[in-house]
Amino acid sequence: MKSKMSFPPQEGEARPSRCPDNSAFKQQKLPAWKPQLTIATVLPSFFLIGMFCLLVGVCLILSANSVREIQIDYSDKCSDCSKLRENSSNWNKECHCSINFTLEEDILDDVFMYYGLQNFYQNHRQYVISRSDAQLLGRKVNIQKSYCAPFTTYRNGTPMAPCGAIANSMFNDTIDLFYNRNSSVIQVPLLKTGNSWWTDKNVKFRNPKSHNLSSAFAGTARPPYWQKPAFLLDEEDEKNNGYINDDFIIWMRVSAFATFRNLYRRVRRTREFADGLPAGNYTFRISYNFPVTKFKGRKHVILSTVVWSGGSNPFLGIAYVVTGTAATLTGFVITAIHLKLKKKKAYFQK
């Protein structure tokens, strides 16, 4: 079999050119804007940016300080339940604790209830990826090929639904709020749904298709730390079950920091609570299920309002103030250097 051989071009033959086409784009001859930075353009920019950032920062800080918030740590106040939950064999035993507190002033407008966790690290790589997005979309998938291990199947081969470490560690304390008015005790109505992001509820999480939810989860089992199967997470609202349960969806959006809070409920504005929470004596009644002692964690329950800039978090406002201050100081430093050099130049020109 003969092989083809290439020979260099003989004398007089034209060589192929490697030069790019003689166009403005390929020869880099396109017109370009070359700004001339002068003291008259630089200094106003620094001062304008500084004043803008300072103004926005002060507005954000004042807005965050106007938020009404009450935070109660119930880690130690429910110590008996905490000790009970340290033994995993007591998972089916109920334990309740109550915490009394007083509102000195009315909390008007919409009131949100959060649960807060401290020293709970959700940003570990193996924890973050321990989920099956295809399963959470209601698809039939082989979770053995997912990143859910070791929370994929039981020893008898029954798959977990949902699988993964995130779902298995879902926060499952039940928190109820009671208003003590005179000699009567009124349970504060709380909204369970409408708390998650619309995109999560309608796009990222879907239940398997079936004529009823229990048959959709047939052949699967709940995660080891769960007390109920996925299709019974909310026994009062059939539409708030399975993978589209609001509490489950909110928990699956992991936090970047070890101390975080998640939205748990919203106060329903009706009857005595039409304008918010009136001043008076209240009681949190907590069904304690989520143990935190082994990783030295803490648990909080928070009642808070929100404003146009969000909740009670001054970080963004402080960041704007620091940026504005730095820009303004830089402007003054440049002005001082410019005046000094200008004075020195005038001296040598004499």
Side-chain angles (χ1 to χ4, degrees):
M1 184 176 182
K2 295 182 180 180
S3 61
K4 295 183 179 180
M5 300 180 63
S6 60
F7 297 95
Q10 301 297 325
E11 187 175 352
E13 295 182 3
R15 294 174 176 269
S17 175
R18 293 185 179 180
C19 295
D21 297 336
N22 188 20
S23 64
F25 177 75
K26 293 188 177 181
Q27 293 295 337
Q28 299 184 11
K29 294 180 180 179
L30 292 174
W33 177 55
K34 298 179 181 179
Q36 298 294 327
L37 298 179
T38 63
I39 197 69
T41 58
V42 172
L43 279 181
S45 300
F46 273 99
F47 285 118
L48 287 175
I49 292 173
M51 294 302 296
F52 173 78
C53 290
L54 285 173
L55 181 62
V56 174
V58 170
C59 291
L60 288 173
I61 291 175
L62 292 176
S63 176
N65 290 337
S66 67
V67 173
R68 293 289 310 280
E69 180 176 297
I70 294 177
Q71 180 170 311
I72 297 175
D73 187 326
Y74 66 94
S75 305
D76 297 330
K77 296 180 180 180
C78 298
S79 57
D80 293 338
C81 292
S82 178
K83 292 178 182 178
L84 180 71
R85 287 290 173 256
E86 288 306 310
N87 188 348
S88 59
S89 62
N90 297 325
W91 67 270
N92 59 343
K93 296 181 180 180
E94 293 187 0
C95 189
H96 302 275
C97 58
S98 298
I99 301 170
N100 300 318
F101 67 98
T102 302
L103 288 182
E104 301 296 339
E105 299 178 356
D106 296 345
I107 300 182
L108 303 177
D109 212 346
D110 293 330
V111 182
F112 299 82
M113 181 189 293
Y114 301 83
Y115 62 84
L117 289 177
Q118 183 177 341
N119 206 37
F120 189 92
Y121 290 85
Q122 289 189 311
N123 56 1
H124 192 282
R125 180 178 178 274
Q126 293 298 324
Y127 182 87
V128 171
I129 66 175
S130 184
R131 58 188 293 165
S132 173
D133 290 319
Q135 183 193 47
L136 298 177
L137 282 171
R139 301 172 183 170
K140 293 183 179 180
V141 294
N142 183 7
I143 59 175
Q144 292 284 11
K145 298 180 179 180
S146 67
Y147 294 102
C148 288
F151 301 101
T152 52
T153 60
Y154 287 92
R155 293 181 179 179
N156 60 1
T158 304
M160 298 180 189
C163 69
I166 307 176
N168 183 59
S169 61
M170 176 181 166
F171 183 85
N172 58 350
D173 282 1
T174 302
I175 306 172
D176 293 315
L177 180 61
F178 295 89
Y179 175 43
N180 306 314
R181 187 179 65 176
N182 300 327
S183 59
S184 60
V185 178
I186 304 172
Q187 184 171 2
V188 179
L190 302 174
L191 296 173
K192 298 180 180 180
T193 58
N195 301 324
S196 59
W197 291 14
W198 186 92
T199 51
D200 287 349
K201 186 83 171 182
N202 297 276
V203 179
K204 294 181 64 177
F205 293 83
R206 307 304 301 164
N207 280 327
K209 294 182 179 180
S210 181
H211 62 279
N212 61 66
L213 204 56
S214 60
S215 61
F217 285 89
T220 65
R222 58 177 174 81
Y225 290 172
W226 284 27
Q227 297 175 336
K228 302 177 181 179
F231 56 89
L232 290 178
L233 288 177
D234 189 352
E235 298 181 5
E236 299 177 358
D237 187 356
E238 295 181 357
K239 297 180 180 180
N240 190 35
N241 276 309
Y243 299 146
I244 59 173
N245 175 265
D246 272 47
D247 292 338
F248 174 70
I249 292 174
I250 291 172
W251 178 259
M252 292 299 291
R253 185 175 287 275
V254 297
S255 173
F257 301 100
T259 299
F260 61 93
R261 64 176 64 178
N262 284 335
L263 181 59
Y264 180 68
R265 297 287 185 266
R266 291 176 294 129
V267 174
R268 184 179 180 183
R269 300 178 64 175
T270 181
R271 300 193 305 274
E272 297 89 346
F273 313 101
D275 298 324
L277 292 179
N281 299 320
Y282 289 84
T283 300
F284 279 123
R285 189 172 185 270
I286 300 170
S287 177
Y288 198 106
N289 298 305
F290 194 86
V292 295
T293 307
K294 288 186 178 180
F295 56 87
K296 298 179 181 179
R298 311 288 298 181
K299 293 194 292 186
H300 306 83
V301 58
I302 304 110
L303 292 174
S304 176
T305 59
V306 296
V307 290
W308 62 270
S309 60
S312 178
N313 188 357
F315 174 79
L316 186 59
I318 294 173
Y320 266 102
V321 170
V322 171
T323 303
T325 304
T328 305
L329 290 177
T330 303
F332 281 116
V333 170
I334 294 176
T335 301
I337 295 174
H338 171 68
L339 293 176
K340 184 176 181 180
L341 293 177
K342 187 177 180 181
K343 185 177 180 180
K344 187 174 182 181
K345 183 178 179 181
Y347 175 80
F348 282 107
Q349 287 179 348
K350 290 181 179 180

